[in-house]
């Protein structure tokens, strides 16, 4: 039974606009080379040990954080990932694992099924050549095999598709594929020249009106369930049509932590300190709020982490009707 302090603390964070969600790059390595990702990966940076991760996140839990999005790089490249997830669940965090889906095994899926964890698999196209072009690796067969292994996964599962020029004609097929296999489809937009995250790739860049048409088609299809994720489609349409969005909540309700312990408002922005060396609140005080505002104004952000908490608080009825799972269904 959690203490009253443990129950009240995250609500105090919400009232004070302090973080309740951490996006955690559990490893700084990746087996893909996505055209839209400019994160500094595969350069031999230090990764915290399991013991250091447990200590850091125990402190974060005491400071009111309650949710962790675990990603990379590719998180499944980390050999002790199952043990790290065990530790985070034991501390009390709600977990979401974000992966490219290339390294699932039957044994790993069975172990994940025993944890209170959501899964998010990235898939932009069902065409093998286009997959290799976008992701920089010929791995579509592995992803499809991993999706098959998740057919009976008992917890919420999402399939995320990022719209670019290369896959504009494939997005509805990916959404149908997700629904047919019991995944909630999540559709976001490729952004370039956005701080650290927005890699410039001329072959992926689109005209806004073309990308907007894709989002309108997905919205009209009704395949994305009502609630938050359908609202996110509308956000993308509004941004692509030149409209403004509600503020991003990076650095307010969410933070990003890399595998070395460095903390930033989100993955797109610069680090402000290291949790192995500095206190959590000292780091929060160093965040560049003007940089957060500039980044927010320039994108609808394909990293849902920086908008999901604030959007939920601003639109609680929409959050309430958002399903956590959907049945697999035959689609024509």
């Amino acid at each position: 039974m959690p203490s009253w302090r443990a129950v009240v603390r995250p609500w105090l964070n919400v009232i004070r606009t302090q973080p309740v969600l951490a996006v955690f790059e559990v490893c700084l390595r990746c087996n893909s080379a996505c055209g839209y990702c400019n994160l500094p990966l595969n350069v031999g940076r230090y990764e915290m040990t399991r013991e250091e991760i447990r200590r850091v996140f125990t402190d974060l839990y005491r400071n009111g954080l309650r949710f962790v999005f675990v990603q990379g790089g590719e998180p499944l490249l980390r050999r002790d990932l199952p043990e790290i997830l065990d530790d985070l669940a034991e501390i009390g965090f709600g977990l979401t694992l974000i992966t490219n889906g290339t390294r699932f095994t039957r044994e790993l899926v069975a172990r994940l099924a025993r944890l209170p964890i959501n899964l998010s698999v990235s898939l932009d196209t069902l065409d093998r050549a286009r997959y290799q072009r976008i992701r920089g690796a010929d791995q579509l067969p592995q992803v499809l095999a991993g999706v098959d292994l998740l057919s009976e996964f008992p917890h919420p599962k999402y399939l995320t598709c990022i719209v670019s020029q290369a896959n504009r004609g494939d997005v509805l097929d990916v959404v149908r594929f997700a629904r047919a296999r019991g995944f909630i489809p999540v559709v976001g937009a490729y952004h370039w020249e956005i701080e650290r995250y927005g890699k410039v790739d001329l072959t992926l860049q689109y005209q806004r009106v073309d990308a907007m048409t894709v989002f309108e088609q997905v919205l009209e299809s009704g395949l994305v369930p009502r609630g938050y994720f359908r609202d996110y489609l509308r956000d993308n349409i509004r941004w692509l049509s030149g409209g403004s969005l509600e503020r991003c909540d990076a650095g307010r309700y969410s933070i990003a932590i890399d595998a070395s312990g460095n903390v930033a408002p989100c993955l797109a922005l610069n680090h402000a300190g290291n949790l192995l060396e500095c206190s959590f609140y000292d780091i929060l005080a160093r965040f560049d709020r003007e940089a957060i505002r500039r980044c927010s104004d320039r994108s609808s952000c394909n990293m849902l982490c920086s908008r999901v908490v604030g959007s939920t608080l601003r639109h609680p009825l929409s959050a309430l009707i958002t399903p956590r799972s959907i049945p697999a269904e035959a689609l024509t």
Side-chain angles (χ1 to χ4, degrees), residues 109-131:
V109 170
R111 184 162 183 177
L112 292 175
R114 294 193 291 269
L115 289 173
I117 191 169
N118 306 335
L119 294 183
S120 178
V121 177
S122 301
L123 181 62
D124 302 325
T125 178
L126 299 172
D127 180 272
R128 188 168 180 174
R130 279 193 289 278
Y131 183 97

Side-chain angles (χ1 to χ4, degrees), residues 22-25 48 56-57 60 255-259 261-264 275:
V23 182
F24 179 38
E25 289 180 279
M48 291 185 288
V56 162
F57 277 88
L60 291 174
I255 56 172
I257 305 170
D258 76 8
N262 297 309
V263 181
L275 289 168

Side-chain angles (χ1 to χ4, degrees), residues 273-287:
N274 188 290
L275 289 168
L276 298 178
E277 303 166 354
C278 307
S279 79
F280 175 59
Y281 290 107
D282 285 345
I283 294 172
L284 289 184
R286 299 174 189 167
F287 283 170

Side-chain angles (χ1 to χ4, degrees), residues 294-314:
R294 288 196 306 268
C295 187
S296 176
D297 289 345
R298 293 175 62 199
S299 79
S300 61
C301 194
N302 62 23
M303 293 177 288
L304 290 169
C305 51
S306 299
R307 295 188 184 272
V308 65
V309 177
S311 295
T312 298
L313 293 172
R314 287 186 287 265

Side-chain angles (χ1 to χ4, degrees), residues 47 57 64 73 75 79 81 105 153 158 169 211-212 259 275 292 295 325:
E47 295 178 359
F57 277 88
R79 293 182 179 179
L81 178 68
T105 64
F153 189 73
Y158 308 94
M212 186 173 67
L275 289 168
I292 297 170
C295 187
S325 62

Side-chain angles (χ1 to χ4, degrees), residues 24 37 61 99 108 124 183:
F24 179 38
C37 177
Y61 188 88
T99 171
L108 176 60
D124 302 325
F183 285 75

Side-chain angles (χ1 to χ4, degrees), residues 3 12 14 20 24 38 40 96 105-106 168 251 254 321 325:
S3 69
L12 289 177
V14 169
V20 293
F24 179 38
N38 203 29
T96 297
T105 64
R106 195 172 302 279
R168 285 194 299 113
S254 65
I321 65 172
S325 62

